[in-house]
Amino acid sequence: MSNVRKRAKFEQNGIIQPLLTDFYQITMAYAYWKSGKKDDHSIFDLYFRKNPFSGEFTIFAGLEECLKFLKNFQFSDCDIDYLRSVLPESDDEFFDYLRNLDASKVTLYAIEEGSVVFPKVPLLRVEGPLPVVQLLETTFLTLVNYASLVATNAARFRLAAGEDLILLEFGLRRAQGPDGGLSASRYCYVGGFDGTSNVLAGKLFGIPLKGTHAHAFVNSFTGVEELSSQDDPVKISGDNGLKKCGTNEEISFTNLCLTWLEKIAPILGILPSEAHRGELAAFISYAQSFPSSVLCLIDTYDVVRSGLPNFCAVAMALNDLGYQVRGVRLDSGDLAYLSKVTRNVLENIAEKFDVPWFKSISIVASNDINEDTIHSLNQQGHSINCFGIGTHLVTCQKQPALGCVFKLVEVNDKPKIKLSEDVEKVTMPGRKDAYRLYGADGHALVDLLIKPGENVPVSGQRVLCRHPFTESKRAYVNPAKVECLYKCFWKDGKICEKLPSLLEIRSRTKHSLNHIRQDHKRALNPTPYKVSVTDKLYKFMHHLWLENAPIGELS
């Protein structure tokens, strides 16, 4: 790991600071302080109410950034001066209080980053002085909401594409600003993508860099006469040249490509003159620059009559010199049809010229691909090996926000409940622990929330699981395995757990998804996963609900 990535493990984007919050958090902190509540011990839950993308699972991401924020949480003198200007009526002592604030009295419990998570189960449980934890709310939400949303989106693309296809993230140019672009690259990798076009993400996070050229590169060439003289051997030492792999023998590469075009054109049923010579020149130039990693964009003019024959001519010329190309990219048109035509041509050339590896050359598809496009391509049948995905992936066009919330559930050992006519918005009060119960087949059956002090669920022992709000929905579960979901990640001003690498978080995502039943993960009408509470927690919640709900009076 480079020094830059080592630093990135502990440092944080300078934008992420205590002032990256909503103004009402500051005004509430002042009101807490003025009311003598600055030392009240509070507990807040961060959770979401509904899975995104009409699905039934979510990937939790953003925890490491939350921990970095806690480590760096402190108002600077400049911050204090600014807050004085926007709160001119506030007492001076309040600003002294803010100046001395840090997160040393905060304790944070969380589910491990990269885990599959479900609605109503808190992702974070944050405990500490009421004003301090309140000041964390907005920043925590912005760090978790988008990270979890885009990681989930990436995981859905991975499920649609299957394990064998390569997925590349090409979203930087379409992302919501530079910070959104960098976050997207990071969390798409967590969700199962194999590489990114984002160079800074490669540097900071160690994500494999992938990419080829654009249409502009092809358009910039007019003909092969722009290249080095066809009569002279092409030089290798900085003169746009090439030589046989592993030798010093210099070759007139342009002439070799033209010779191969004459051989290949009849296989495609075209005349050599039909293939665009500017495109051929572009492919030759790219091959001379990167002979061991050629992947050409073949739809600038016409895939079948120009791009494909030009690419194959260059690829076979490279083969004569001991190099193997990587593949082609299709960025427009009927991707299913064109991929099958391309694969058929590659297989014919492989057989005709006895080049077995040629038939398995990678076919990359791009062109504004979304999850539904991949499902459609799967139904049609295609020969694509790799998808390059940008806009729909990083902007999450199907659903632009996850909707995590940060709710107060306890103050000074007194549970708190928020009521609403919308049952989905009623909070589950008090401190809670969470366990995942697995069946004998290794798949998760239910997530169970319990009150502290209750008997912890044990494998092989039956436990009653109840729907949090619907009295008639209940079932006994006899788990084969029980997993505690929470770990203490921050206490006494220190990170308590070893933080995993990005690759380890990515592996956890895959592992966690493998332990969720297929019907929970399917794209169409997935089965809802059960989140339950113990009988004791159910009765406690509903007693508190009745205790806090106003009683109407009729006359």
Side-chain angles (χ1 to χ4, degrees):
M1 182 181 289
S2 70
N3 289 335
V4 173
R5 294 206 297 276
K6 286 179 182 177
R7 289 198 302 272
K9 189 76 176 174
F10 301 102
E11 295 179 0
Q12 191 160 43
N13 186 331
I15 286 177
I16 302 170
Q17 53 179 289
L19 290 193
L20 185 66
T21 189
D22 294 305
F23 186 45
Y24 75 80
Q25 308 287 14
I26 304 292
T27 58
M28 282 195 292
Y30 177 67
Y32 287 143
W33 175 85
K34 197 166 181 65
S35 302
K37 296 176 72 65
K38 68 181 179 66
D39 295 319
D40 284 10
H41 185 77
S42 66
I43 301 177
F44 284 76
D45 287 343
L46 188 153
Y47 62 94
F48 59 95
R49 299 187 178 110
K50 188 175 182 180
N51 288 302
F53 312 118
S54 301
E56 289 297 340
F57 74 89
T58 300
I59 305 299
F60 172 41
L63 174 60
E64 182 178 318
E65 293 303 302
C66 291
L67 296 172
K68 289 179 183 178
F69 178 59
L70 288 174
K71 187 171 184 177
N72 298 321
F73 183 81
Q74 192 164 25
F75 290 94
S76 68
D77 289 341
C78 182
D79 294 340
I80 299 298
D81 290 342
Y82 175 72
L83 291 175
R84 283 182 189 275
S85 73
V86 297
L87 294 169
E89 297 179 353
S90 301
D91 297 345
D92 286 343
E93 291 84 355
F94 173 65
F95 299 107
D96 294 333
Y97 165 73
L98 286 185
R99 182 178 284 106
N100 294 314
L101 272 190
D102 59 27
S104 60
K105 295 182 180 179
V106 172
T107 303
L108 182 144
Y109 297 86
I111 297 173
E112 290 186 289
E113 189 165 5
S115 299
V116 175
V117 290
F118 301 99
K120 291 290 187 179
V121 179
L123 311 178
L124 307 179
R125 186 176 81 219
V126 191
E127 306 181 7
L130 179 56
V132 180
V133 180
Q134 188 76 69
L135 286 169
L136 301 174
E137 175 181 2
T138 300
T139 315
F140 274 2
L141 287 173
T142 197
L143 292 174
V144 170
N145 262 313
Y146 179 67
S148 300
L149 184 73
V150 77
T152 305
N153 201 24
R156 292 179 63 87
F157 273 94
R158 170 50 71 194
L159 290 172
E163 288 298 320
D164 295 333
L165 270 71
I166 295 171
L167 293 180
L168 305 177
E169 176 267 311
F170 289 168
L172 178 58
R173 64 185 61 198
R174 303 289 172 80
Q176 288 94 337
D179 296 302
L182 200 58
S183 293
S185 297
R186 178 176 184 170
Y187 295 114
C188 286
Y189 189 64
V190 165
F193 272 60
D194 299 293
T196 180
S197 64
N198 186 338
V199 179
L200 184 57
K203 178 184 178 183
L204 293 178
F205 309 132
I207 302 172
L209 287 178
K210 304 292 181 181
T212 178
H213 58 76
H215 293 109
F217 183 78
V218 177
N219 291 146
S220 70
F221 289 85
T222 303
V224 294
E225 63 276 1
E226 296 175 67
L227 303 174
S228 301
S229 171
Q230 297 175 42
D231 298 325
D232 296 328
V234 179
K235 306 298 182 184
I236 188 61
S237 56
D239 283 341
N240 194 27
L242 196 58
K243 64 180 179 181
K244 278 191 175 181
C245 185
T247 74
N248 290 316
E249 183 182 352
E250 297 172 333
I251 300 296
S252 179
F253 187 61
T254 301
N255 277 337
L256 186 58
C257 292
L258 289 168
T259 300
W260 270 108
L261 183 59
E262 295 285 338
K263 298 178 184 178
I264 286 169
I267 297 175
L268 278 78
I270 67 166
L271 297 173
S273 59
E274 292 182 67
H276 196 286
R277 291 305 170 94
E279 183 178 55
L280 177 61
F283 292 173
I284 291 172
S285 174
Y286 202 76
Q288 289 170 329
S289 300
F290 305 101
S292 299
S293 57
V294 171
L295 195 152
C296 292
L297 182 59
I298 62 172
D299 72 330
T300 304
Y301 299 109
D302 185 290
V303 171
V304 177
R305 309 191 74 81
S306 182
L308 196 49
N310 280 330
F311 166 78
C312 290
V314 173
M316 291 303 294
L318 284 170
N319 179 68
D320 285 349
L321 304 185
Y323 299 99
Q324 291 187 7
V325 296
R326 290 175 54 197
V328 299
R329 178 160 72 99
L330 299 168
D331 192 50
S332 60
D334 186 332
L335 297 177
Y337 168 74
L338 289 174
S339 70
K340 287 186 281 189
V341 168
T342 300
R343 181 65 66 204
N344 185 57
V345 169
L346 297 176
E347 289 174 348
N348 287 343
I349 291 175
E351 183 177 351
K352 183 172 180 62
F353 299 107
D354 193 24
V355 188
W357 64 267
F358 207 81
K359 62 184 178 183
S360 57
I361 285 173
S362 183
I363 299 175
V364 181
S366 46
N367 189 29
D368 216 22
I369 290 170
N370 59 31
E371 183 186 342
D372 294 335
T373 304
I374 297 178
H375 286 299
S376 176
L377 287 167
N378 290 340
Q379 291 171 357
Q380 296 174 63
H382 64 82
S383 295
I384 296 164
N385 304 98
C386 172
F387 288 105
I389 305 170
T391 305
H392 290 273
L393 175 65
V394 303
T395 65
C396 301
Q397 285 194 357
K398 214 172 186 181
Q399 180 177 323
L402 176 57
C404 285
V405 294
F406 195 75
K407 296 298 182 183
L408 178 67
V409 296
E410 187 173 298
V411 176
N412 294 334
D413 298 321
K414 294 180 180 178
K416 300 293 179 178
I417 186 170
K418 176 198 174 296
L419 301 182
S420 172
E421 292 183 6
D422 183 352
V423 174
E424 276 197 353
K425 292 192 172 183
V426 175
T427 60
M428 289 194 275
R431 180 189 283 106
K432 300 167 288 293
D433 291 318
Y435 293 84
R436 184 160 294 172
L437 312 185
Y438 293 85
D441 62 359
H443 289 130
L445 295 171
V446 62
D447 281 10
L448 181 65
L449 297 172
I450 74 170
K451 282 177 61 65
E454 284 195 76
N455 292 330
V456 172
V458 177
S459 61
Q461 293 186 12
R462 193 176 69 161
V463 59
L464 178 62
C465 298
R466 303 196 63 171
H467 187 282
F469 304 110
T470 305
E471 187 173 18
S472 61
K473 291 185 177 181
R474 52 189 181 167
Y476 284 107
V477 177
N478 191 343
K481 173 188 169 185
V482 176
E483 177 188 10
C484 178
L485 293 181
Y486 293 139
K487 290 183 176 180
C488 182
F489 279 90
W490 176 269
K491 190 173 184 179
D492 299 327
K494 294 182 292 187
I495 295 173
C496 306
E497 292 281 334
K498 180 181 179 294
L499 297 183
S501 68
L502 196 63
L503 187 60
E504 289 170 332
I505 297 171
R506 184 175 185 268
S507 296
R508 180 179 294 122
T509 299
K510 182 177 180 180
H511 176 80
S512 190
L513 278 169
N514 285 341
H515 286 83
I516 303 300
R517 288 202 322 257
Q518 185 59 41
D519 58 308
H520 297 309
K521 298 181 287 188
R522 67 190 176 205
L524 185 63
N525 298 323
T527 304
Y529 180 84
K530 292 178 176 60
V531 172
S532 302
V533 297
T534 59
D535 187 58
K536 186 173 182 180
L537 179 54
Y538 177 88
K539 290 175 179 176
F540 165 73
M541 287 169 48
H542 288 261
H543 173 76
L544 196 64
W545 191 337
L546 293 175
E547 192 177 80
N548 281 271
I551 302 175
E553 184 173 328
L554 302 177
S555 60

